[in-house]
Amino acid sequence: MNRFGKSIDTPTSRRNVLRGSVLAGAAAVTGAGAFAMPRRAPLRTARADAASAHLHKVAEQMTAESDAKPADLSGYTRVRQELVAPPFAPEHEQVATGGPKIVEITMDTTERLMMVDEDTGASIWALTYNGSVPGPLIICHEGDMVELTLRNPADSMMEHNIDFHASTGALGGGGLTHVYPGEEVVLRWKATKAGCFTYHCAPGGAMIPYHVCHGMNGAIMVLPRDGLKDAAGNPLRYDSIAYFGEQDYYLPRDENGDYRFYEAAGDDYADSLDAMATLVPTHQVFNGAVGALTGDGALKAKVGETVLMVHNSCNVDSRPHLIGGHGDYVWETSFTDPPLTNMETWFVRGGCAAAAMYTFEQPGVYAYVNHNLIIAALKGATAHFVVDGQWNNDLMEQVVAPRPTEA
Ligand SMILES: [Cu+2]
């Protein structure tokens, strides 16, 4: 048994934990609560942890004791979606062909040391889906089923699960997907709401923000079967997707103000709770790290290209702005509502994902930022599009280059 108390030496602990019978505040249900708090007992989180444990217990009991009929899967076609790392999107149809699908996906709950800011050496033992922050973008259509195999590698330190905001029931699936290291689980749910939705790990109590603020969140886009439309019902199509995950980190510092380094995932638990309780992130970045989407990581586009910008922000409110461009069509909420149009800055509610469509009209570098510019410039929430093409002087022209002011 490692120091994170994997369940290997207590064979029944897994079910007992889910049923709450061995629950002791943060300890049992959240995994690390039991084993990663050498410096302080989890007194201040105990109530939240206990309440959370009760929710999970209810979720599991609801399905375990149910005599509901099996789902009717007739008429569905199985397809496999190969997930790809952000900022890219998996292959998909914008307009669904054929009948509804069962979209099979697999995600691994990978814990890995990630550099957050090379300039300061700030790093984090990120908790991830498939190794990336954010987790991969999943795409399906309204009426499809998503069938996820969630695998927790044997060398993980913690238990993980997943709460899909797009799904219905059992804490978004969170109550049915707890996997300890070395376990896997399969969850199937029907996508009944069209829009962009966040998903995240929610193992219980204080571990929920801990996992979310260590990168364990991402987005699923549920398209209308006939694709995106404007307010008049005319089809809207995109050429590419840029997938942003806005991530707030709360990295512990030592007495000198330097970022602490930890040997293993979870070692920072107690320190992280202190840092998170300030509600002031040390970093707020796109796609895992300061500068992940600038320089060599900048997004590429061409004049005339229509890009759908999918922005996930699991924990904090954000107000993205494309400097030099606009949101031609913006879906802050559902795809079944008409899109907002010609937006300068839009809103991504913390705990959700949103989409904005824009057709580039000028070449050059565009900055996609959280237009809280302090967050953009000092905390890291800046990405760049580098756009090739022909300049259009009708849209903008420098009439006089900088010169000494005339007397
Ligand atoms: Cu997790």
Side-chain angles (χ1 to χ4, degrees):
M1 173 170 174
N2 70 23
R3 70 200 144 89
F4 273 81
K6 293 179 187 174
S7 59
I8 50 178
D9 65 345
T10 51
T12 60
S13 70
R14 179 168 200 292
R15 285 200 90 66
N16 288 343
V17 165
L18 290 175
R19 294 184 183 285
S21 57
V22 296
L23 181 72
V29 99
T30 64
F35 15 84
M37 307 189 70
R39 284 187 289 280
R40 186 183 54 216
L43 289 175
R44 75 173 175 211
T45 65
R47 186 174 300 175
D49 292 332
S52 194
H54 176 68
L55 288 174
H56 287 101
K57 178 181 170 187
V58 169
E60 172 148 292
Q61 282 183 342
M62 284 287 288
T63 52
E65 297 169 0
S66 168
D67 59 355
K69 292 180 294 188
D72 181 4
L73 302 182
S74 59
Y76 286 85
T77 305
R78 284 189 174 271
V79 295
R80 174 137 198 100
Q81 182 163 104
E82 297 301 333
L83 301 177
V84 299
F88 303 108
E91 281 186 33
H92 65 282
E93 297 177 319
Q94 295 188 44
V95 175
T97 56
K101 312 286 194 305
I102 298 173
V103 180
E104 299 175 352
I105 55 172
T106 299
M107 293 205 290
D108 293 344
T109 59
T110 309
E111 303 165 354
R112 55 179 287 246
L113 184 63
M114 278 184 51
M115 186 64 73
V116 171
D117 186 354
E118 290 180 350
D119 288 346
T120 62
S123 64
I124 189 169
W125 275 95
L127 309 178
T128 77
Y129 295 105
N130 280 4
S132 63
V133 178
L137 180 65
I138 304 161
I139 301 178
C140 69
H141 287 89
E142 187 177 359
D144 287 348
M145 298 214 187
V146 176
E147 190 170 289
L148 165 71
T149 300
L150 187 67
R151 304 185 301 202
N152 192 341
D155 61 355
S156 288
M157 293 295 194
M158 299 182 177
E159 71 173 279
H160 301 286
N161 70 349
I162 191 164
D163 168 1
F164 284 102
H165 286 199
S167 74
T168 305
L171 307 175
L176 302 176
T177 51
H178 280 264
V179 276
Y180 277 74
E183 292 185 330
E184 66 177 19
V185 67
V186 181
L187 177 76
R188 187 183 61 242
W189 57 272
K190 189 170 184 178
T192 60
K193 312 285 187 190
C196 293
F197 300 85
T198 198
Y199 64 78
H200 63 92
C201 192
M207 273 292 169
I208 300 172
Y210 177 82
H211 283 232
V212 165
C213 294
H214 281 63
M216 210 151 185
N217 61 88
I220 179 167
M221 180 164 73
V222 183
L223 289 164
R225 297 204 75 78
D226 54 353
L228 299 176
K229 295 177 285 291
D230 68 13
N234 300 305
L236 294 172
R237 300 291 175 258
Y238 46 83
D239 299 310
S240 61
I241 287 178
Y243 169 43
F244 303 95
E246 187 159 349
Q247 181 63 56
D248 50 330
Y249 290 126
Y250 306 79
L251 303 187
R253 284 185 262 218
D254 64 19
E255 52 281 358
N256 299 319
D258 296 324
Y259 291 104
R260 292 183 185 275
F261 177 80
Y262 297 90
E263 293 292 336
D267 280 2
D268 66 349
Y269 184 66
D271 295 340
S272 288
L273 288 192
D274 289 339
M276 289 191 298
T278 67
L279 298 176
V280 179
T282 54
H283 303 80
Q284 191 163 324
V285 302
F286 290 133
N287 294 29
V290 176
L293 298 178
T294 62
D296 292 343
L299 298 147
K300 306 282 193 295
K302 292 183 170 57
V303 169
E305 182 173 339
T306 298
V307 178
L308 187 71
M309 297 169 279
V310 177
H311 187 136
N312 182 61
S313 191
C314 189
N315 201 52
V316 288
D317 294 344
S318 182
R319 38 186 196 269
H321 171 74
L322 180 65
I323 300 177
H326 302 92
D328 291 341
Y329 300 93
V330 177
W331 295 265
E332 288 187 355
T333 55
S334 168
F335 282 147
T336 46
D337 294 328
L340 301 162
T341 57
N342 301 321
M343 300 283 285
E344 64 174 309
T345 297
W346 47 101
F347 189 50
V348 181
R349 296 151 180 80
C352 99
M357 183 180 282
Y358 182 61
T359 304
F360 285 100
E361 298 184 64
Q362 293 277 43
V365 178
Y366 294 69
Y368 181 89
V369 299
N370 181 332
H371 213 280
N372 178 328
L373 295 169
I374 301 167
I375 293 173
L378 302 187
K379 301 287 185 179
T382 298
H384 287 166
F385 283 95
V386 177
V387 180
D388 288 335
Q390 188 66 44
W391 185 263
N392 181 350
N393 279 319
D394 284 345
L395 286 171
M396 183 180 284
E397 184 173 12
Q398 185 182 52
V399 179
V400 176
R403 64 185 180 192
T405 308
E406 294 177 13

